[in-house]
Structures are given as structure tokens and as C-alpha cells.
Amino acid sequence: MNNDTEWIRLDLPASEDAVSRLEVGQKVKLFGTVYTARDQAHKRIAEAIREGRPLPFPLGGAAIYYCGPTPANGRIIGACGPTTSGRMDAYAPLLFEHGVAVTIGKGERSAEVKAAITEHGAVYLSAIGGAAALYQSRVRACELIAYPDLGCEAVYRLTVEDFPAVVSAV
């Protein structure tokens, strides 16, 4: 039987101390700021890092949710379930190196990404595939902040409360 005492609260942006206490298999509930980003947004962020251009959000302690929300249609946000994390593996080590503390998605991560997570004191959280309505209900605010030409793959700043995930790599 699950109860709230089995869940760990993780406030975002994440502190080094909070991330360092997490262990694989623990259930977390996220509170605070999460940024959505998928393949094309990651490509642009990586290019900006390499070229020394401004970034769409501060990377230090940041949480990136691998998600492309659907149109809101009068709500705060549309459906916002996780996408496959491996699609971002080419960019993830660079982002961890520059301070990203948390990534959230579904599926396996490459050996290189797992090593970068460990090396940089980050964490990978698994979200539940097929639970877009659940995650939608946990978003309290949503703002488009970068790359509007990417449509649902643009970068959004979300404010989340009670957003469930499982620690999958530390």
C-alpha cells in the first residue's frame, strides 16, 4: 500500500544536497520549476552553449522534462506526458556539465549519459508513459520561453506541484 510517507519531496531548481541524497528506486514528488525540451530544443541549447550565446533558462540546478505539450485549449497546459529520453542522449552530457541537475523522461539512458549523471551529481527521473492527463493536472503554470517556431517542441517553463516520478539513475 502506498502512502505519502514513501514519497520524497524534491524542490526545483534542485540543490546539490537534495540530489545527492536520492537513490535509485525512490519515488519523488516534484515542486517548483521544470523546463520542457525535446530533440530540436536540445540541439539549439547545445549550439548556444558551444557558441557562447545566451541560454533560454539558467542551467544551474535546472530540471528538464522531455515533453512536448499539446495545445492548452483553454487549460493551463495540454497533455504533457514524457517522451523517450534516449532521443536526448547526444546532448545530455553537455547539459549536465553545465549544471542541469535533473532530467525527466521515459526509457533507458545510454552508458555515456549514466556516467555523466554520476560524474556531475545529477539524477534521471522516470515519468510514467501514458499518464499525460495525470501530469497535466500537476502543472500550475505554463509559459512559452524559447523557440516558438518549434511548436510543441518549444521550451516551456512549468510550475509543478506534486509531480510524481521514480529515481532511475544517480
Side-chain angles (χ1 to χ4, degrees):
M1 176 195 280
N2 290 336
N3 64 45
D4 280 341
T5 60
E6 295 175 6
W7 291 86
I8 295 168
R9 179 185 175 117
L10 181 59
D11 292 306
L12 304 170
S15 70
E16 256 183 70
D17 184 53
V19 171
S20 72
R21 291 189 212 156
L22 297 174
E23 298 176 10
V24 171
Q26 291 178 315
K27 298 180 296 186
V28 296
K29 289 190 178 180
L30 307 175
F31 292 81
T33 301
V34 173
Y35 299 96
T36 68
R38 286 181 39 172
D39 316 45
Q40 292 305 309
H42 272 75
K43 180 179 179 182
R44 290 185 187 181
I45 293 167
E47 288 170 354
I49 290 170
R50 290 182 186 113
E51 296 171 7
R53 290 186 282 118
L55 299 172
F57 58 91
L59 299 184
I64 297 178
Y65 181 30
Y66 302 145
C67 170
T70 63
N73 294 327
R75 296 169 294 207
I76 293 171
I77 192 171
C80 59
T83 196
T84 303
S85 301
R87 293 169 40 193
M88 275 52 74
D89 280 2
Y91 309 105
L94 179 66
L95 296 179
F96 292 131
E97 180 183 329
H98 284 84
V100 169
V102 178
T103 56
I104 309 155
K106 66 179 181 180
E108 297 286 325
R109 302 311 302 260
S110 70
E112 180 185 15
V113 169
K114 289 177 185 176
I117 287 168
T118 301
E119 178 183 349
H120 298 290
V123 64
Y124 171 54
L125 304 176
S126 292
I128 303 162
L134 168 68
Y135 289 116
Q136 176 188 43
S137 74
R138 302 302 200 250
V139 177
R140 302 295 176 248
C142 174
E143 178 186 4
L144 171 65
I145 63 166
Y147 317 134
D149 60 301
L150 295 178
C152 71
E153 290 199 37
V155 176
Y156 292 86
R157 179 177 30 244
L158 308 181
T159 302
V160 300
E161 289 181 6
D162 210 28
F163 190 100
V166 176
V167 178
S168 294
V170 293

